[in-house]
């Protein structure tokens, strides 16, 4: 019997490959950069499993090109918006992701981004590199303390909860959250459920940890920014599309809000000449939320196990329903 044929669209940690080798016939795109669409189309015919990335467009064309042999598509990410899930359902193809594996790393990054932004740390580093650090000045590079502040979190899922748990010891006064419904685990971190408008009006820091849906698309726009405190800091480690970037630029340059820190943008990568990039009060990271070796190895292992589960007639851990 021929081995289960798997194609991988990027280099992944060895831990994932080791799980597949010996059980599957594995070929892959040997590069760190995104694989061109034409290369995916060239390599998918006849495969049984496809291990892809968030940046790969796995649409109907790819699925049709793979043919009836394709049994499983697993993405090394939590998000699966890049996969035509409906087309997969029609064809009986299992779709799986890697839920929960990056929860801690994204929560840690979110808190790091908040501290970078609130305390103007990037400006401080740049001032040293550029020779601007001179004698002590009492009004120079003053930022904002978290002690006594109110933090609002949009989306108190696993990552939002992880952020709340980490920010609480900084002496903040309140945690407000808004979600599709109240969640029981909010009590564990003392988070108060409230409506969206109340959260953005009363929060000194607003942290976006939600998914991108029809209801959250461009939820932060010019109308939202007008309701926020002029001293407010916005942090987004959820999805770039939750924020209308042109409106954010206007809010930051007009003083409607104080500062912003973004780990996700729309589009990605954000062009280097985008107006937001040049602002001192906007820190933009290149989507680094899950960029730890611990998280990457776990993601690779989970992706490999998803494929092996389907091969063996089992339900994968990361099944997308």
């Amino acid at each position: 019997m021929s081995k289960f044929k798997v194609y991988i669209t990027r280099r992944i940690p060895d831990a994932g490959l080791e799980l597949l080798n010996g059980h599957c016939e594995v070929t892959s795109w040997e590069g760190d950069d995104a694989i061109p669409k034409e290369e995916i189309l060239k390599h998918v015919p006849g495969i049984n499993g496809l291990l892809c990335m968030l940046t790969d467009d796995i649409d109907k064309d790819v699925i049709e090109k793979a043919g009836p042999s394709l049994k499983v598509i697993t993405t090394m990410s939590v998000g699966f918006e890049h996969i035509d899930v409906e087309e997969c359902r029609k064809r009986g193809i299992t779709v799986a992701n890697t839920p929960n594996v990056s929860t801690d790393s994204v929560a840690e990054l979110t808190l790091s981004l908040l501290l970078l932004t609130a305390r103007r740390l990037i400006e401080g580093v740049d001032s040293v590199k550029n020779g601007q650090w001179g004698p002590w000045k009492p009004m120079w590079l003053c930022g904002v303390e978290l002690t006594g502040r109110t933090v609002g979190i949009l989306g108190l899922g696993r990552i939002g909860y992880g952020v709340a748990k980490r920010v609480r010891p900084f002496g903040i006064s309140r945690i407000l959250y808004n979600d599709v419904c109240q969640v029981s685990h909010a009590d564990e971190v003392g988070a108060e459920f409230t409506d969206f408008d109340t959260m953005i009006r009363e929060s000194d820091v607003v942290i976006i940890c939600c998914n991108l849906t029809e209801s959250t698309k461009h939820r932060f726009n010019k109308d939202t920014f007008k309701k926020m405190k002029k001293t407010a800091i916005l942090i987004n480690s959820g999805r770039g599309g939750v924020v209308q970037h042109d409106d954010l630029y206007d809010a930051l340059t007009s003083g409607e809000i104080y500062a912003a820190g973004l780990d996700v943008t729309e589009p990605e990568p954000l062009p280097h000449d985008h107006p937001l990039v040049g602002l001192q009060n906007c820190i933009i990271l290149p989507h680094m939320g899950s960029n730890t070796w611990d998280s990457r190895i776990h993601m690779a292992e989970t992706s490999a196990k998803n494929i092996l589960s389907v091969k063996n007639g089992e339900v994968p851990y990361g099944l997308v329903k």
Side-chain angles (χ1 to χ4, degrees), residues 120-137 140-141 280:
R120 303 175 63 180
L121 299 182
I122 297 297
E123 291 178 75
V125 171
D126 288 344
S127 72
V128 175
K129 290 182 177 180
N130 298 332
Q132 298 168 332
W133 183 18
W136 182 80
K137 293 173 282 190
W140 188 52
L141 289 180
Q280 291 280 30

Side-chain angles (χ1 to χ4, degrees), residues 25-313:
E25 180 183 322
V26 181
T27 54
S28 61
W29 173 256
E30 291 299 321
D32 290 320
D33 293 328
I35 182 174
K37 181 71 169 290
E38 57 268 23
E39 286 294 325
I40 298 179
L41 292 170
K42 183 192 302 183
H43 289 95
V44 295
I47 64 169
N48 306 117
L50 176 64
L51 196 163
C52 64
M53 309 293 148
L54 188 64
T55 50
D56 302 326
D57 182 17
I58 310 302
D59 58 9
K60 185 177 179 180
D61 291 342
V62 173
I63 296 166
E64 283 186 342
K65 195 72 172 179
S69 62
L70 184 59
K71 304 301 180 187
V72 55
I73 299 173
T74 183
T75 178
M76 209 171 100
S77 62
V78 176
F80 49 86
E81 302 90 357
H82 55 298
I83 300 173
D84 189 338
V85 176
E86 187 55 38
E87 187 64 27
C88 289
R89 288 196 184 103
K90 292 178 184 177
R91 297 168 181 262
I93 299 169
T94 299
V95 178
N97 64 346
T98 56
N100 310 330
V101 298
S102 59
T103 298
D104 288 330
S105 60
V106 176
E108 288 178 5
L109 187 282
T110 303
L111 186 58
S112 301
L113 183 55
L114 170 56
L115 294 172
L116 282 174
T117 306
R119 295 302 303 272
R120 303 175 63 180
L121 299 182
I122 297 297
E123 291 178 75
V125 171
D126 288 344
S127 72
V128 175
K129 290 182 177 180
N130 298 332
Q132 298 168 332
W133 183 18
W136 182 80
K137 293 173 282 190
M139 306 288 284
W140 188 52
L141 289 180
C142 289
V144 176
E145 295 181 14
L146 298 181
T147 303
R149 309 294 178 181
T150 295
V151 173
I153 301 176
L154 180 61
L156 203 71
R158 291 182 178 88
I159 293 173
Y161 172 81
V163 171
K165 184 172 64 174
R166 287 166 172 80
V167 78
R168 173 63 77 184
F170 280 80
I172 62 172
S173 62
R174 299 170 72 197
I175 297 178
L176 306 178
Y177 80 96
N178 177 253
D179 212 323
V180 292
C181 63
Q182 288 183 255
V183 292
S184 58
H185 55 262
D187 294 338
E188 299 173 18
V189 288
E192 309 167 35
F193 180 75
T194 186
D195 62 88
F196 180 76
D197 280 356
T198 299
M199 182 188 74
I200 62 171
R201 279 198 306 265
E202 297 186 6
S203 296
D204 300 294
V205 175
V206 178
I207 303 174
I208 301 170
C209 296
C210 65
N211 290 321
L212 182 62
T213 65
E214 289 185 8
S215 63
T216 62
K217 175 73 173 177
H218 291 171
R219 191 75 180 275
F220 285 81
N221 51 46
K222 60 183 179 181
D223 295 328
T224 304
F225 295 129
K226 288 176 182 176
K227 298 174 184 176
M228 294 172 65
K229 294 182 178 182
K230 291 187 181 298
T231 55
I233 296 171
L234 177 68
I235 302 295
N236 188 9
S237 61
R239 291 290 185 269
V242 179
V243 178
Q244 215 296 336
H245 286 67
D246 291 338
D247 291 352
L248 175 60
Y249 175 83
D250 292 340
L252 289 169
T253 54
S254 67
E256 279 187 336
I257 65 171
Y258 176 70
L262 312 174
D263 186 44
V264 289
T265 59
E266 184 187 49
E268 289 187 3
L270 194 69
H272 73 278
D273 57 352
H274 190 283
L276 283 173
V277 176
L279 296 182
Q280 291 280 30
N281 59 341
C282 184
I283 293 178
I284 302 174
L285 301 179
H287 202 153
M288 297 175 62
S290 62
N291 288 26
T292 66
W293 284 115
D294 308 78
S295 179
R296 285 288 189 267
I297 290 170
H298 196 179
M299 292 169 77
E301 289 176 337
T302 301
S303 296
K305 289 176 181 177
N306 284 339
I307 287 176
L308 293 176
S309 292
V310 174
K311 173 184 177 295
N312 296 329

